[in-house]
Amino acid sequence: MNPASNLILVGPMGAGKTCIGKRLAERFGLRLLDADREIEQRTGASVAAIFEHEGEAGFRARESAVLAELLANDGLLLATGGGAVLAEDNRRLLRERGYVVQLLVSVEQQLERLALDRSRPLLARGDREQVLQQLALTRAPLYAQVADLRFDTGAMSAADAALRLALELDLHWRRPPPSSSVSGVNA
C-alpha cells in the first residue's frame, strides 16, 4: 500500500482521466488539476498549438516542469496527459508524490470515445487506430511501472467507473494523516 496525499490518474487518451477525476476529486475532497489544461492556461496556447510550434519535445519539457510544480503540493487529484510517463524523471515523481491509478481502455473503446475529437495532436496524423495501437505498445509498460492500482474503465460510463473506482480506492489507498507539528516545540 502506498500512503500518499495525492491521487494521480495515468493512462491513454480516452481512458477517462479527467471525467472520472472530477468525480473522484469531489468524493475524496481533493483539488482536481488536469496537467494538459494547466499547460494551456500557463502558455495561453492549446496543446495542439504547442505541438505545432515547439514539437513534441517542447511540449514534453513543459509537461515535466508543470508536473514537478504541481506535485510539490498535497491534496491533489492530478489527471496527467497520456504521455506524462514517457520521461523517467516524471515516472519517478509520480511514484514518489502520489497514489497512482492506471486507467485501462482498449484501442477499440478509445476509437469510439475519441471519434469526434480533433484536438489531439498525436491523432492528427495517419490512421488513428494504428497510432493508438503504437502508443499502447510503447506506453502501457510505462503506466504499469508507476501504477499502484490498475482499473479498467472500458465498458462503463464515467459516473459508473468513478463510483466503482472510489470503492477500490477505499480498500487500497490510505491517505496519510495531516502532519501534526506544534510550532515552537523542539522534538
Side-chain angles (χ1 to χ4, degrees):
M1 187 169 302
N2 172 11
S5 66
N6 295 319
L7 182 59
I8 301 169
L9 302 181
V10 300
M13 60 183 98
K17 297 180 296 287
T18 301
C19 292
I20 293 168
K22 287 177 186 176
R23 290 168 169 86
L24 292 176
E26 186 175 311
R27 161 99 183 240
F28 291 108
L30 300 169
R31 186 166 54 115
L32 174 68
L33 293 173
D34 179 299
D36 286 350
R37 298 301 79 78
E38 286 292 317
I39 293 166
E40 289 178 336
Q41 287 177 356
R42 292 163 190 232
T43 62
S46 69
V47 170
I50 296 168
F51 263 74
E52 182 180 330
H53 295 286
E54 298 180 11
E56 185 171 357
F59 175 78
R60 296 294 171 209
R62 289 181 181 278
E63 181 177 57
S64 292
V66 164
L67 288 174
E69 183 182 326
L70 296 177
L71 289 173
N73 298 292
D74 293 315
L76 304 177
L77 189 147
L78 180 62
T80 65
V85 295
L86 293 172
E88 185 176 337
D89 285 345
N90 290 353
R91 293 192 304 274
R92 179 192 47 75
L93 183 65
L94 294 171
R95 285 190 303 266
E96 290 175 358
R97 294 294 302 145
Y99 185 88
V100 182
V101 178
Q102 176 187 4
L103 299 183
L104 305 165
V105 64
S106 72
V107 169
E108 293 76 23
Q109 290 159 331
Q110 283 180 281
L111 286 167
E112 184 178 311
R113 292 177 182 182
L114 300 170
L116 301 177
D117 189 333
R118 298 292 177 246
S119 67
R120 300 179 190 255
L122 294 178
L123 291 183
R125 59 179 200 251
D127 178 40
R128 295 179 121 203
E129 184 173 3
Q130 183 179 358
V131 170
L132 292 172
Q133 291 282 4
Q134 186 57 48
L135 290 173
L137 285 171
T138 304
R139 296 176 179 185
L142 302 176
Y143 297 137
Q145 277 182 23
V146 299
D148 293 297
L149 178 69
R150 296 172 50 140
F151 184 81
D152 190 344
T153 67
M156 292 180 258
S157 68
D160 288 342
L163 179 61
R164 290 183 189 190
L165 180 51
L167 295 173
E168 288 293 315
L169 289 167
D170 285 340
L171 294 173
H172 300 289
W173 176 41
R174 297 290 178 256
R175 291 171 73 178
S179 61
S180 55
S181 61
V182 178
S183 79
V185 176
N186 292 332

